[in-house]
Amino acid sequence: MESGPAIFAGLVFALFGAGLLVWTTTRVRHGRPVAHGVSPVASATVATVVGVVALALGAWCLSQV
């Protein structure tokens, strides 16, 4: 019974992290800003770190099942 929330949370974190990484990569490759009004390097770095952390949290949640 307790594995349901862990699976849901793991999938949400994994989908968010993967989506954020794909979106960030697409924006950087097209030369568009990741966040307006912020340094392009800093915003791409922060978005990438957040995406990787979300993927790691998703993997951790799914490994606890």
Side-chain angles (χ1 to χ4, degrees), residues 24-48:
T24 303
T25 302
T26 304
R27 297 291 287 187
V28 169
R29 284 191 181 183
H30 288 283
R32 296 186 167 219
V34 176
H36 294 287
V38 183
S39 166
V41 174
S43 61
T45 303
V46 169
T48 301

Side-chain angles (χ1 to χ4, degrees), residues 16-17 20-21 23-24 34-35 41-53:
F16 174 75
L20 183 60
L21 287 174
W23 181 79
T24 303
V34 176
V41 174
S43 61
T45 303
V46 169
T48 301
V49 169
V50 170
V52 170
V53 168

Side-chain angles (χ1 to χ4, degrees), residues 1-23:
M1 280 291 214
E2 294 180 3
S3 64
I7 292 171
F8 178 75
L11 288 176
V12 168
F13 278 123
L15 287 174
F16 174 75
L20 183 60
L21 287 174
V22 168
W23 181 79

